Amino acid sequence: MLSPERPLPAGTRPAAAALLLLLLLRGAGAQKGDGCGHTVLGPESGTLTSINYPQTYPNSTVCEWEIRVNSGQRVQLKFGDFDIEDSDACHFNYLRVYNGIGPTRTEIGKYCGLGFQMDSLIESKSNEVTVQFMSGTHLSGRGFLASYSTTDKSDLITCLDNASHFSEPEFNKYCPAGCVIPFVDISGTIPHGYSDSSSLCMAGVHAGVVSNILGGQINVVISKGIPYYEHSLANNVTSKAGRLSTSLFTFKTSGCYGTLGMESGVIPDSQITASSSLEWPDQTGQANIWTPERARLKRPGPPWAAFSTDGYQWLQIDLNKEKRITGIITTGSTIAEYYYYISAYRILYSDDAQKWTVYREPGVDQDKVFQGNTEYYQEVRNNFIPPIIARFVRVNPLKWHQKIAMKVELLGCQFSIGRAPKLTMPPPPPPQSSNDFSLQTDKTTSTPEIKNTTVTPTVTKDVALAAVLVPVLVMVFTTLILILVCAWHWRNRKKKAEGTYDLPYWDRAGWWKGMKQFLPAKSAEHEETPVRYSNSEVSHLRPREVPTILQTESAEYAQPLVGGIVGTLHQRSTFKPEEGKEASYADVDPYNSPVQEVYHAYAEPLPVTGPEYATPIIMDMSGHPTAPLGVSSISTFKATGNQAPPIVGICNKLLARTDSSSSAHALYDTPKGMPGPGSSVELVYQVPQSMPHFTGS
C-alpha cells in the first residue's frame, strides 16, 4: 500500500496513478486495468498478454488478471515470451504473481528483465491466482505472453510453441485456450499438413483438433516437408500459403471426420428441405429453380438459394437416424455470374424436427455464430466441439451477400456414445437485411479430431456389410477362375504329351511292355502248351485262312508261319521279338526243329508268290502201313531254344509228329524259292492233317 504521508518520487507518479486506478477497478471482473492485452480465461486453461504485445507496451499502464479453476485443483503458469525492461530494478516495470485473489492473497514472485528466459512453471497453492502487470517509464520491452492450466496438464505448452521446438518424431502436448491470436501465423491445411514454423496450438484449432475456447490435448506427428502449403479458412483461422520447409506436422486422433452423404448422394433429395427456394425465368422463358437438393457440396450447377432474404430462412438436412456431427463445410453459389454467399449462420439440431436446439459453446450463454464464406467459391469449414448428436440439422443464415445461397456438407460419423446437452431454443431473430445486420463473427468453434489430418470417414452399417461381403465374393470368384484355368492348362499339357492322334499313354503297347517286367514270368508249363487245331477245323478252311486261325490266340503279335532264310522273305507280317534276348537276324522256327532252333530279331513276311503250305507229292502208299482212319492227327508248333543257325541260308529241319503209335516221315515237294531235293540237307515236313500217315526214308 502506498502511504499518503510520504511524498512519491517524481518518476513514480504515473505508476502510482495507474495503481490507484487499479484499486478503484478491483472486483469489476476477471481482468481490470488499461494494460491488458489478448485475454482468454477458460475454466481449465487460458492465455493472457500485455497490451500491444508483441509491440512495445505503453508507459504507465496496469492490469490484473484473476484466474480461477475448479475447486480442489491448482494452477500452473508458463511464459512463452517475457520482455519487460529492468532498468529500475523491477520498481516500476514488473510482473507479479500471487496465490489467491483479494486482500488475503500472498506473493509468489516478482519478475522483470529483457529477454528473460523462464522455463520453469509457476505453481499456485490453491485454485485461484492473481497476475499483475505494471509499467512505468521505459524505453523498450514487448511485454509478455503467458498460458495457464490446471496442474494435471503436465505437458502444457504456450501458443507460441511450434514443431521446430521439439525433436521427437511424435509427441503429445496440451494446448491452452485462446491460441487464436492475430500476431501468430500458420501455413498449411488438412490433409497435407502444416509447416514446422506454424504454431502447434493455432494449427490445432484450424485443423479442428482443439477448441479455441476450451483448449485440449494434441498428438503431433512430424514428417518430411513438402514444396508448397495451401491456404484455407477454417474455424475463424486463416492459414497462409507457404513455401518449402524441412519438415511438417500433422495431428493424430480418433477420427470422426467423414462426410455424411450430401456430396456422395447417400442422403436422398427427399431428405433435404428448405424454408423457400429461389425461382425466376431465364432468357428463354424457362423457369430456373434453385431447390434444396442443389445444396450438395462440390456438385456442378447452381446452389440452393432462398426466395426471401431475411433471418428466418433455413436449410434442413435429415440424416435418417442419429449421427455424431463434428463439423460443416459451406460454399457460396460457386457461379461467378451469381456472386451470392452466406457470411454468418447459426446451427440448430433436433431428434424429431419439432423441438430445436441452438448450438452453443460450453460455458457460454449465447448462441454460437459461425463465420461463413468471404466469397462465392471458397470452402469454409467449422467444427463442433463438443460434437452434436442429432438426426436433423438446420442451417440458419444470419448474414449474406446479395442473396442467401449455399452448398453444404456435414462431417461426422455413426453415433456411439455421449450426447450434446440440450439447450432451449431462443426465439427466432427478427428479419434483418445484409446491410444493417451486425453480428460479431470473430470466434467460431474448432474441428473434430483428425487422424494425421486425413481421416477415413465412418460408413453406415450397410456400407460396412458390403465392405465385408464384396472382398469375400471377389475371393470366391477368383478361386473358381484359377481352378478352371489350372484344369484347362493341365488338359492341354496332357494332350501335348500324348499327341493329337495318339492313344492315351496307358493304352500304348509300350506302356504295357514296360509294365510286364513287374509281372510274374510265365510258367514252363504254360509256355509248353501247344496250339492245337482239329482236322475238321483246318480241312474246311481255304489256304489263306489258315494263318488267320493260327494268329487268333496271339496276345500281342502274330506267330510266324514259316522259318527260313531271311533273304528269301518279303514284307508281309510283323512278329514280336523275344524279350530279354539280344536282337539277331533269325527268329525261332515255329515248326519245332529237333536239331536247332533259329530266332529272328523281327519276323519276316511270307513269300509273295510262294504257297503257304508245301504241295504234297502223290505217292503210292500201298506198300506202307497206315494209321487207322479214325485217329486224327494233331499238329504241334513250338518255338524254343536260343541257338543261332549254324549256316546262314540253310533251311531248318522240321520235325513231324503224329499221335499214332507208328509215326513216319513223308517226303514233300520243295517250296518255291527253297533248295531242291538234291540239297545236302534233307527237308522234312510234317504230315499235313487230313492225309494218311506212312513211313519210309
Side-chain angles (χ1 to χ4, degrees), residues 1 60 148 177 237 247 313 325 347 397 436 472 492 513 550 570 573 588 615:
M1 294 290 296
S60 303
Y148 74 91
V237 177
S247 62
Q313 302 304 308
I325 308 165
I347 293 294
D436 57 1
V472 172
N492 287 346
K513 182 178 179 180
L550 296 176
H570 302 278
S573 62
V588 177
T615 305

Side-chain angles (χ1 to χ4, degrees), residues 12-331:
T12 63
R13 289 177 183 176
L19 181 58
L20 292 175
L21 177 61
L22 179 62
L23 294 174
L24 293 175
L25 295 175
R26 179 173 293 173
Q31 67 182 45
K32 32 190 178 292
D34 60 351
C36 303
H38 171 78
T39 301
V40 175
L41 305 179
E44 293 186 348
S45 63
T47 301
L48 53 148
T49 68
S50 58
I51 190 171
N52 289 346
Y53 181 86
Q55 306 300 323
T56 303
Y57 56 89
N59 293 330
S60 303
T61 59
V62 62
C63 182
E64 272 194 9
W65 294 268
E66 295 178 349
I67 302 172
R68 293 182 179 88
V69 296
N70 295 331
S71 179
Q73 294 182 329
R74 293 182 297 124
V75 180
Q76 60 184 4
L77 188 67
K78 184 173 185 177
F79 289 93
D81 187 19
F82 193 95
D83 192 62
I84 299 177
E85 187 176 289
D86 57 351
S87 59
D88 56 358
C90 295
H91 287 299
F92 305 106
N93 296 275
Y94 60 84
L95 181 78
R96 274 182 175 169
V97 181
Y98 297 91
N99 271 315
I101 298 175
T104 60
R105 65 187 183 182
T106 60
E107 183 176 309
I108 296 176
K110 185 178 182 181
Y111 311 95
C112 67
L114 294 175
F116 181 64
Q117 296 293 329
M118 193 179 298
D119 297 330
S120 60
L121 299 175
I122 300 174
E123 295 186 3
S124 69
K125 297 180 180 179
S126 66
N127 65 326
E128 296 179 340
V129 170
T130 300
V131 178
Q132 182 186 87
F133 170 68
M134 184 74 68
S135 70
T137 303
H138 66 283
L139 298 177
S140 63
R142 296 186 305 273
F144 73 95
L145 180 144
S147 298
Y148 74 91
S149 71
T150 56
T151 53
D152 58 335
K153 311 295 190 301
S154 59
D155 49 1
L156 172 67
I157 60 176
T158 70
C159 303
L160 301 180
D161 288 316
N162 55 46
S164 61
H165 294 168
F166 306 95
S167 59
E168 301 91 340
E170 183 174 347
F171 53 87
N172 293 314
K173 297 297 176 182
Y174 182 83
C175 286
C179 280
V180 177
I181 45 184
F183 47 82
V184 174
D185 294 332
I186 64 170
S187 179
T189 185
I190 57 173
H192 306 296
Y194 299 87
S195 171
D196 57 0
S197 61
S198 303
S199 166
L200 289 171
C201 294
M202 191 168 178
V205 174
H206 181 272
V209 178
V210 294
S211 167
N212 186 55
I213 296 298
L214 300 175
Q217 200 79 25
I218 60 173
N219 189 343
V220 181
V221 178
I222 307 295
S223 57
K224 185 179 179 180
I226 57 177
Y228 179 76
Y229 296 89
E230 298 179 356
H231 66 92
S232 65
L233 174 61
N235 300 307
N236 202 32
V237 177
T238 301
S239 68
K240 299 180 179 180
R243 298 299 179 183
L244 174 67
S245 65
T246 57
S247 62
L248 61 80
F249 64 90
T250 55
F251 301 98
K252 185 168 65 176
T253 69
S254 58
C256 182
Y257 193 57
T259 57
L260 293 182
M262 287 291 289
E263 177 185 351
S264 63
V266 172
I267 300 174
D269 293 346
S270 59
Q271 294 177 201
I272 308 173
T273 56
S275 55
S276 63
S277 298
L278 183 62
E279 179 179 356
W280 79 95
D282 59 12
Q283 296 178 354
T284 62
Q286 187 176 2
N288 287 326
I289 306 176
W290 290 8
T291 54
E293 57 268 19
R294 294 181 177 270
R296 297 181 184 274
L297 190 70
K298 297 182 180 179
R299 290 288 184 91
W304 164 75
F307 181 81
S308 303
T309 53
D310 56 48
Y312 296 102
Q313 302 304 308
W314 47 264
L315 175 70
Q316 178 176 307
I317 301 171
D318 179 9
L319 299 175
N320 198 38
K321 59 182 178 180
E322 285 188 343
K323 301 287 182 68
R324 181 185 294 272
I325 308 165
T326 57
I328 183 173
I329 301 175
T330 61
T331 66

Side-chain angles (χ1 to χ4, degrees), residues 528-550:
E528 293 292 332
T529 304
V531 180
R532 301 176 185 274
Y533 298 96
S534 64
N535 292 338
S536 61
E537 291 175 345
V538 178
S539 62
H540 290 85
L541 297 176
R542 295 189 298 271
R544 292 189 178 273
E545 291 178 352
V546 175
T548 305
I549 293 296
L550 296 176

